[in-house]
Amino acid sequence: MSVPRHWRESKRRYRLLGTKCKSCKKLHYPPRTVCSSCKSRDLEEYQFKGKGNIYSYTIIRNPPEGYTFCRPYAAALVELEEGEIVTAQITDCDLDHLEIGMPVEVVIRKLFAYGESGIIVYGYKFRPILPRK
Amino acid sequence: MPCMPGIGKKSGCDEMNDVAIVGIGCTPVGEPWNKSLREIAVESTWAAMNDAGVNEVDGLVVGNMSSGNFVDQESLGSLIADYAGLGNITAFKVEGACGSGGVAFRTGVMAVASGMHDVVCVTGVEKMTDVVGDSATKILANASDREYEAVHGVTFVGLNAMVMRRYMHDYNARREDICSIPVNSHKNAVHNKNAMFRREISLDSVINSPMVADPLSLMECAPICDGAASIILTTRERAKEFTDTPIIVKGSAVKVDTIGVHDRKNVTSMTATVEAAKEAYNMAKLTPKDMDTAELHDAFSIMGVIGLEDLGFVRHGKGAHFAAEGQIGIGGKLPCCTYGGLKARGHPVGATGVYQILELTKNLRGEGVVDAQNGIAQNIGGTGSTVSVTILGRDI
Ligand SMILES: [Zn+2]
């Protein structure tokens, strides 16, 4: 268990903070130091809005070590409004009623814990945006 | 062999050695609780050396994904050379997740083609069953992006499941068609004494097996197991010293793609396969039509389907139908996974790519289950992040 390993990711993981290429305007999430489109190394931070749609999804029934506390859970490729796709869990949802195209928004949740007395790692998940009543 | 495209040409080389396979050997795939990693690796290395009739090699390339995690052991080049009694030779491990075997083979081919080595052994090995519980699932997820995929609890099966769901959505593909991939692999494993599951399974049993990561069910996923496979390579010129039936490496390519599936332009096709296949076909001066058999990386049913498409055998979206029609069976238009594939022969991850080449070699030597002049093997690391494509042919 290493605290710095998770601490250094916290801004990106709590805030969905990515990068934007100053030269070709390409957005990246996860953040990069070299633009995946034009190889420019002149990038700036970019705050994603945190809304998008489910591009594809699955229900994880056999979780890896450390993730069994919330089994089964949904995971998805979420296509953000800005066009980038991120991998995350879908939370606060009915596992039987997920579908491709469903609108979702970002929230912060517990991702996993290192045992009972270890550190708890938090990060983004997405939840369905419910229609307003 | 013409110069490899790219770097080779730029450095001004004109001609490289043609490379031939002169020996093959492997252990049965399964759960050999009485044997360690080094024992199975040494067993397959010597089986291949005996097949080639040699008692020394001047290079050993080990393909292995994760011995450090599975058995707390690295330095496999030294370990296996040492315990195989190979002396102070050149030996090291190369890694490309579940594609490590194919990457090791390619490294061996480069060593012989360049003239830096004469006789090279490529040994793929994985000992996965010494870990218990959910550990193997965690270790396999190391093939993906730990910080941005695996950290979210997305398993390796989960990533492939998301590819499958999107594929079914985009192409209106039927799950029962996709499920014909494992049915074919199991059928072909029956005759393979080295296969883990030597029994047929019905389409219904696949469709109705429990979900692991929807829409992927248990019977669509390759098993966790142990195994080692080895190949002896030398130059085409020297090959006849060792065997009457050398098999020629006509094309060999390894390409990478983004580590994260979320960064792909298209998740239902693997650009790394498409690019590696393009390069391998060009090197071989052959086309998909010339292939008599194919070893697909059917770790998950959908990977077999997408492999058929990315290797150029059918158009995108048509792979599942092609498989369901029985075209991939022995006697079909393109026999695939002829020794059981990853699903039924088994998928000891870092060894798999070498098993595929061994099986292709048997078919080309005329001692296999299909009569083939040329064949192709595709080995995938991660969910398409590292792909090797190898084209082999008879020496004519
Ligand atoms: Zn750019």
Side-chain angles (χ1 to χ4, degrees):
Chain A
M1 171 180 84
S2 155
V3 173
R5 179 176 178 183
H6 296 290
W7 169 80
R8 84 171 76 98
E9 296 294 328
S10 61
K11 230 167 58 163
R12 304 181 271 234
R13 235 180 240 157
Y14 294 170
R15 289 175 43 198
L16 210 61
L17 196 60
T19 47
K20 179 180 183 179
C21 175
K22 283 188 181 172
S23 106
C24 79
K25 312 299 178 212
K26 163 91 178 150
L27 303 176
H28 324 100
Y29 196 90
R32 290 175 181 265
T33 52
V34 178
C35 177
S36 54
S37 176
C38 75
K39 297 183 193 170
S40 164
R41 277 160 291 169
D42 193 10
L43 312 184
E44 59 188 358
E45 285 187 340
Y46 179 85
Q47 178 62 58
F48 282 87
K49 289 198 211 76
K51 287 194 172 153
N53 298 291
I54 293 179
Y55 184 80
S56 190
Y57 69 96
T58 181
I59 314 294
I60 307 284
R61 297 179 191 276
N62 290 47
E65 230 172 353
Y67 293 83
T68 45
F69 69 94
C70 57
R71 95 196 311 165
Y73 52 86
L77 295 171
V78 173
E79 186 168 24
L80 300 171
E81 275 179 1
E82 294 90 342
E84 293 304 297
I85 294 180
V86 297
T87 302
Q89 284 185 30
I90 304 294
T91 187
D92 306 353
C93 67
D94 178 351
L95 295 182
D96 296 328
H97 289 93
L98 293 170
E99 54 185 50
I100 288 176
M102 183 181 255
V104 290
E105 63 188 0
V106 77
V107 288
I108 289 206
R109 289 287 187 275
K110 171 181 168 181
L111 292 180
F112 71 100
Y114 284 93
E116 292 207 344
S117 53
I119 58 168
I120 298 172
V121 177
Y122 289 88
Y124 52 85
K125 295 187 183 181
F126 286 78
R127 69 177 174 202
I129 300 175
L130 300 173
R132 287 184 189 279
K133 290 200 177 114
Chain B
M1 183 185 288
C3 252
M4 309 250 175
I7 305 296
K9 265 193 195 124
K10 280 180 202 153
S11 66
C13 94
D14 303 319
E15 200 59 35
M16 291 192 291
N17 293 318
D18 281 343
V19 180
I21 293 170
V22 296
I24 55 175
C26 69
T27 64
V29 179
E31 297 178 68
W33 293 318
N34 57 338
K35 287 184 182 171
S36 64
L37 179 145
R38 80 183 68 182
E39 287 172 302
I40 55 175
V42 168
E43 189 179 324
S44 84
T45 298
W46 270 100
M49 287 170 63
N50 285 338
D51 187 49
V54 299
N55 65 7
E56 59 182 5
V57 294
D58 67 320
L60 169 70
V61 185
V62 179
N64 172 267
M65 170 173 168
S66 210
S67 59
N69 288 302
F70 282 124
V71 295
D72 304 319
Q73 177 72 62
E74 296 292 5
S75 278
L76 294 193
S78 160
L79 177 80
I80 298 167
D82 180 8
Y83 274 77
L86 300 178
N88 304 101
I89 59 166
T90 302
F92 48 79
K93 157 178 166 172
V94 296
E95 185 271 327
C98 333
S100 298
V103 174
F105 180 78
R106 157 76 177 203
T107 308
V109 169
M110 291 195 295
V112 173
S114 68
M116 289 187 81
H117 285 274
D118 274 336
V119 182
V120 169
C121 179
V122 177
T123 291
V125 61
E126 206 78 53
K127 178 79 187 172
M128 304 173 76
T129 63
D130 276 355
V131 295
V132 292
D134 311 319
S135 302
T137 308
K138 183 183 177 190
I139 295 166
L140 289 172
N142 292 347
S144 65
D145 185 334
R146 173 54 62 185
E147 303 297 350
Y148 294 98
E149 294 182 310
V151 77
H152 295 287
V154 183
T155 56
F156 196 49
V157 190
L159 288 169
N160 284 276
M162 293 196 287
V163 168
M164 178 162 164
R165 185 172 315 264
R166 189 69 204 189
Y167 181 95
M168 290 166 70
H169 174 269
D170 286 358
Y171 294 114
N172 219 1
R174 303 187 325 161
R175 183 164 168 251
E176 52 264 48
D177 288 347
I178 297 171
C179 287
S180 61
I181 294 278
V183 172
N184 174 67
S185 292
H186 270 262
K187 193 173 180 187
N188 294 345
V190 172
H191 67 82
N192 179 7
K193 65 177 172 46
N194 293 314
M196 184 166 181
F197 299 129
R198 302 182 64 185
R199 58 171 192 273
E200 292 197 39
I201 54 172
S202 69
L203 186 59
D204 279 346
S205 69
V206 179
I207 292 169
N208 297 321
S209 68
M211 285 291 163
V212 180
D214 319 34
L216 272 173
S217 70
L218 186 63
M219 298 288 268
E220 292 171 79
C221 306
I224 284 167
C225 51
D226 308 333
S230 302
I231 302 281
I232 307 295
L233 296 169
T234 189
T235 59
R236 186 182 204 164
E237 279 180 354
R238 288 197 60 191
K240 292 277 179 183
E241 296 171 32
F242 306 99
T243 177
D244 294 331
T245 52
I247 299 305
I248 307 304
V249 180
K250 295 195 165 176
S252 158
V254 175
K255 296 291 173 189
V256 295
D257 198 352
T258 60
I259 181 81
V261 173
H262 47 237
D263 278 324
R264 310 273 166 81
K265 283 187 186 70
N266 175 5
V267 306
T268 60
S269 166
M270 292 184 183
T271 306
T273 304
V274 173
E275 292 297 321
K278 196 197 291 176
E279 185 170 305
Y281 285 130
N282 278 344
M283 276 176 77
K285 298 190 174 65
L286 295 169
T287 70
K289 283 193 176 61
D290 300 311
M291 298 301 118
D292 302 312
T293 179
E295 291 303 324
L296 305 172
H297 190 97
D298 62 327
F300 305 100
S301 56
I302 186 65
M303 291 299 109
V305 168
I306 293 176
L308 283 168
E309 300 171 7
D310 288 340
L311 292 171
F313 296 117
V314 287
R315 291 212 317 276
H316 290 293
K318 302 290 179 197
H321 185 63
F322 183 80
E325 274 183 326
Q327 306 277 22
I328 62 169
I330 290 170
K333 200 169 157 193
L334 181 77
C336 291
C337 305
T338 59
Y339 281 80
L342 281 64
K343 175 63 189 77
R345 174 237 295 124
H347 182 27
V349 283
T352 290
V354 185
Y355 274 98
Q356 292 178 316
I357 288 164
L358 172 148
E359 292 157 357
L360 206 49
T361 301
K362 284 187 183 175
N363 282 332
L364 292 163
R365 279 177 174 180
E367 38 186 76
V369 288
V370 299
D371 184 33
Q373 295 287 326
N374 296 296
I376 191 166
Q378 171 218 28
N379 186 205
I380 305 177
T383 307
S385 45
T386 303
V387 178
S388 59
V389 172
T390 306
I391 296 172
L392 304 181
R394 288 186 185 173
D395 190 12
I396 42 173

